[in-house]
Amino acid sequence: MRSAAGLPPPLLEVARGQGGLVSTAQCEEHGVLTSRRSRLVAAGTWKRPARGVYDTRERDATMHEFDQERWRTVWLALKSYPRSAAVGEIALMMHGAEGLPRRLTAEVALPRGTYARPRAGVRVRQVDLRGHAVKVLGRHAARAPLALVQAMRTLSRDSWVQCADSLLHKKVVSAQDLVEVRALARRAGLVERLHWADLVDGRAESPLETEARLRCVDAGFPPDDLQREFRDGEGKFLGRADLVWHLGDGRWLIVEIDGGAFHSTDDQLGRDAVRQNDLLEGGRTIVLRFRGAHLRQPQGLTERIGRVLTRSGWQPGRALPT
């Protein structure tokens, strides 16, 4: 990669926050005029993915490469159509949804639902967002409930539920918003996907937890509870479990889903071990731990959990202890 030496640091900082992309207007604002932009493109230092958009190749080193790619898609779409608003998947990204695929479907809407031809892989949807758009990161985007409905057409069930779980967990959407999602989905002719909203649970703390829960739902043994707190006989807090099944007579199956970002340090691993030992000390709790890699082979995960539940006499719908 060629050096960006001599370019205004504030412009490069803007670029890093936009997946490496800057607009003609932003370049002009920072004194990088037409002739210099042309030289940068000719030298291969910059690229020009769309009219009025430049790829500086600057990247945010603190951000995962998948998120860098997602944000690049968001900003390429919005900068390719300067007066546009984000809809669907890129609107969900702007609202902070987790669980989106690495490669987003890039869709925008123009004022009053105006038509325009696709550009740079970006589709313009003819939807009038008057009264249904909000300002996010300095640009307009479809309101989160509407964006969820729009993304029902492009996302898989699992990705959609992961996004909805994360937005509910972050309080970007509420339980009442999910009622609106159902109504809007019905109006949009997405009746066959209405049940997706029934799978949403804002207690999930990561897309991995959502994915594991959905695997268990599909296998016929949905968890009895999520994020349940456990205490000993003296009321001492022992831990909070991701997915739990009540096996009857004070016995529990606990399934922990470990994401590398949260469970990879020595200190965290030590705390996890102490917590697991505390939970197991009474001899009435079974703890299974799975990592993200296990979810790429979901049959192994569900078979292991299913064997424990069958052997332990688990029954769905059993009243949970208070």
Side-chain angles (χ1 to χ4, degrees):
M1 184 184 300
R2 294 178 182 273
S3 171
L7 290 168
L11 178 63
L12 298 181
E13 184 64 27
V14 169
R16 284 190 284 272
Q18 299 179 161
L21 303 179
V22 290
S23 65
T24 296
Q26 288 172 324
C27 290
E28 297 279 344
E29 180 184 346
H30 290 87
V32 181
L33 306 181
T34 303
S35 58
R36 189 173 188 190
R37 296 196 300 271
S38 298
R39 291 197 298 272
L40 288 166
V41 172
T45 305
W46 283 11
K47 289 186 176 181
R48 194 181 181 191
R51 185 175 62 189
V53 184
Y54 295 90
D55 185 353
T56 67
R57 304 190 184 190
E58 289 290 314
R59 297 294 183 265
D60 183 348
T62 67
M63 187 181 294
H64 192 284
E65 62 176 313
F66 289 4
D67 278 331
Q68 291 182 20
E69 188 171 338
R70 294 181 185 108
W71 280 116
R72 187 182 186 280
T73 300
V74 170
W75 289 109
L76 178 59
L78 292 173
K79 291 185 178 302
S80 296
Y81 297 90
R83 297 186 303 126
S84 66
V87 299
E89 294 179 27
I90 67 169
L92 292 179
M93 185 70 186
M94 294 176 73
H95 284 298
E98 299 178 37
L100 287 160
R102 177 177 181 177
R103 292 179 175 81
L104 301 182
T105 301
E107 297 179 318
V108 298
L110 294 176
R112 299 180 181 273
T114 304
Y115 169 77
R117 291 183 177 180
R119 182 187 303 164
V122 182
R123 176 189 173 195
V124 177
R125 295 191 61 174
Q126 289 183 267
V127 55
D128 191 343
L129 292 180
R130 282 180 292 180
H132 295 282
V134 293
K135 208 77 173 289
V136 185
L137 302 176
R139 292 295 301 262
H140 283 100
R143 293 172 51 248
L146 178 58
L148 281 169
V149 174
Q150 292 165 338
M152 275 184 168
R153 299 184 183 277
T154 58
L155 290 176
S156 68
R157 181 206 66 172
D158 290 4
S159 287
W160 189 90
V161 175
Q162 288 170 346
C163 289
D165 274 7
S166 70
L167 293 179
L168 189 58
H169 182 74
K170 295 177 179 181
K171 302 187 187 308
V172 176
V173 299
S174 65
Q176 186 59 39
D177 288 327
L178 292 180
V179 174
E180 181 184 359
V181 166
R182 291 182 178 91
L184 290 173
R186 187 179 299 278
R187 197 177 308 159
L190 296 168
V191 178
E192 74 283 359
R193 299 186 179 184
L194 282 176
H195 68 281
W196 291 7
D198 299 330
L199 297 170
V200 177
D201 194 316
R203 292 175 295 175
E205 295 185 339
S206 74
L208 288 177
E209 288 181 26
T210 298
E211 185 175 351
R213 186 181 84 244
L214 292 175
R215 298 287 75 75
C216 294
V217 169
D218 290 343
F221 40 83
D224 290 327
D225 205 0
L226 307 180
Q227 298 302 327
R228 186 178 182 89
E229 293 187 355
F230 286 86
R231 299 179 182 274
D232 65 14
E234 298 178 353
K236 174 188 173 184
F237 177 72
L238 300 178
R240 192 172 71 241
D242 295 337
L243 312 175
V244 302
W245 287 261
H246 182 221
L247 305 178
D249 193 27
R251 298 172 300 130
W252 297 89
L253 167 63
I254 291 175
V255 171
E256 291 284 272
I257 308 300
D258 296 341
F262 303 103
H263 295 264
S264 56
T265 67
D266 288 342
D267 286 346
Q268 182 62 59
L269 288 170
R271 288 193 295 271
D272 286 348
V274 170
R275 181 174 60 137
Q276 181 165 321
N277 289 340
D278 287 341
L279 288 167
L280 292 172
E281 189 172 2
R284 304 186 65 77
T285 302
I286 300 169
V287 178
L288 300 179
R289 306 190 74 94
F290 298 97
R291 296 181 63 84
H294 296 121
L295 296 178
R296 289 193 285 272
Q297 299 175 323
Q299 189 173 358
L301 177 143
T302 55
E303 285 183 353
R304 182 77 181 274
I305 295 173
R307 283 200 303 270
V308 173
L309 294 176
T310 300
R311 186 174 65 242
S312 303
W314 173 78
Q315 297 175 8
R318 179 181 277 142
L320 301 184
T322 57

